[in-house]
Amino acid sequence: MIIAANLKTNLTREKTLHYLQEVEHFLEQNGVSQEVLVFPAISNLNSHKGQLVVGTQNAYPAINGAFTGEIGYEQLEEFGIKTILIGHSERRHILGETQELLALKFNFYKNLGFKIVYCVGEPLSVRELGHEKMMEYISAQYEGIDTSYENLIIAYEPVWAIGTGLTPTLEEIDSIHKELKVKSSAPLLYGGSVKVTNAKEVMALENVDGILVGSAALYAEHFCTMCMYAQELDK
Ligand code: PGA
């Protein structure tokens, strides 16, 4: 299974270091052999040795250059970062990233062999239009994306479930995942208000290959518990 923590714009450099040490120690002590990914804030990126893999929440599709406020491949390479999150709903909706830009990022980092966690998901207004419209909306988020890329992981994250404490029912998650699996055989994570209290039942679903966790992952202890659940399920 794949367990990923998106730390967003949280924690300092020092706290992130402690976080990574704590999680790493836990994985080792408890023999967790699952794939664990952590995405710290960009200013907190650093070289990391160990089992867990540190990825970046964002990067511009360039080696370097005049892209004020962005980082490129050169800044990731310094720390040996080869994993990137692309298409997160906060970047689509708050930062206004278009499908065109996301596809550009995807292809740029794909050509560099990065592991890409690519996020899709619908806002509530779209969900309310019914299943067909919702699937059309999600399908459009696959445009320009190589769904057969070998280092691809997809995360389905309904926008209305992110940071809200609301989630689709387990049946809904499993059936949407089943439909999305037809589009790509890449591992498919669920994200959106995953907590210690629901992580295990979500991960146990047939069509779920792991979880992408935001707020609840900010507590290393909670994230570790979720890694342990993944280990117990070991699928
Ligand atoms: P959440 O965020 O767990 O706080 O809902 C998930 C995400 O944004 O990836």
Side-chain angles (χ1 to χ4, degrees):
M1 301 213 80
I2 302 164
I3 316 99
N6 175 8
L7 304 180
K8 307 193 181 184
T9 315
N10 295 296
L11 307 187
T12 59
R13 206 165 163 78
E14 198 185 332
K15 282 183 180 155
T16 301
L17 183 63
H18 288 146
Y19 181 97
L20 295 173
Q21 284 169 347
E22 193 176 331
V23 175
E24 195 63 69
H25 182 73
F26 181 90
L27 299 179
E28 201 187 301
Q29 293 295 303
N30 293 277
V32 177
S33 57
Q34 313 299 306
E35 188 172 347
V36 178
L37 309 174
V38 179
F39 296 90
I42 290 215
S43 60
N44 302 340
L45 291 177
N46 214 339
S47 303
H48 178 85
K49 282 202 178 60
Q51 186 193 332
L52 71 82
V53 170
V54 171
T56 183
Q57 294 173 19
N58 179 47
Y60 199 74
I63 302 289
N64 54 28
F67 307 103
T68 303
E70 294 286 310
I71 62 164
Y73 176 63
E74 191 174 278
Q75 288 76 37
L76 298 172
E77 195 189 19
E78 181 181 13
F79 300 129
I81 308 254
K82 293 283 276 176
T83 302
I84 185 169
L85 194 62
I86 296 178
H88 189 276
S89 84
E90 282 145 22
R91 297 215 58 93
R92 291 180 190 266
H93 300 290
I94 302 176
L95 282 307
E97 290 192 359
T98 60
Q99 187 60 30
E100 220 179 341
L101 175 62
L102 296 175
L104 209 69
K105 282 188 187 188
F106 186 96
N107 285 302
F108 184 85
Y109 285 100
K110 175 192 140 183
N111 289 334
L112 288 166
F114 270 56
K115 177 162 284 185
I116 300 176
V117 179
Y118 182 72
C119 306
V120 299
E122 81 292 348
L124 190 56
S125 57
V126 171
R127 191 179 187 92
E128 285 170 351
L129 297 174
H131 188 73
E132 202 177 314
K133 287 267 184 294
M134 179 179 112
M135 293 314 286
E136 265 171 35
Y137 182 95
I138 298 174
S139 291
Q141 296 179 323
Y142 282 76
E143 270 168 32
I145 303 303
D146 176 2
T147 52
S148 57
Y149 176 45
E150 57 185 5
N151 280 328
L152 171 65
I153 297 170
I154 298 176
Y156 169 63
E157 299 201 300
V159 181
W160 52 274
I162 297 177
T164 58
L166 303 169
T167 55
T169 63
L170 293 173
E171 292 71 26
E172 283 168 336
I173 294 173
D174 204 40
S175 87
I176 294 172
H177 272 230
K178 195 172 176 188
E179 278 186 71
L180 294 181
K181 285 215 162 213
V182 176
K183 295 182 186 298
S184 171
S185 58
L188 184 57
L189 315 184
Y190 169 78
S193 294
V194 176
K195 316 260 176 240
V196 167
T197 45
N198 63 7
K200 200 164 187 185
E201 52 192 19
V202 169
M203 285 192 281
L205 294 170
E206 188 184 342
N207 296 293
V208 172
D209 304 306
I211 47 177
L212 175 54
V213 191
S215 4
L218 282 179
Y219 305 94
E221 208 185 313
H222 288 202
F223 185 61
C224 288
T225 303
M226 293 186 239
C227 292
M228 197 65 225
Y229 289 157
Q231 184 65 28
E232 282 163 18
L233 290 162
D234 194 24
K235 50 172 200 166

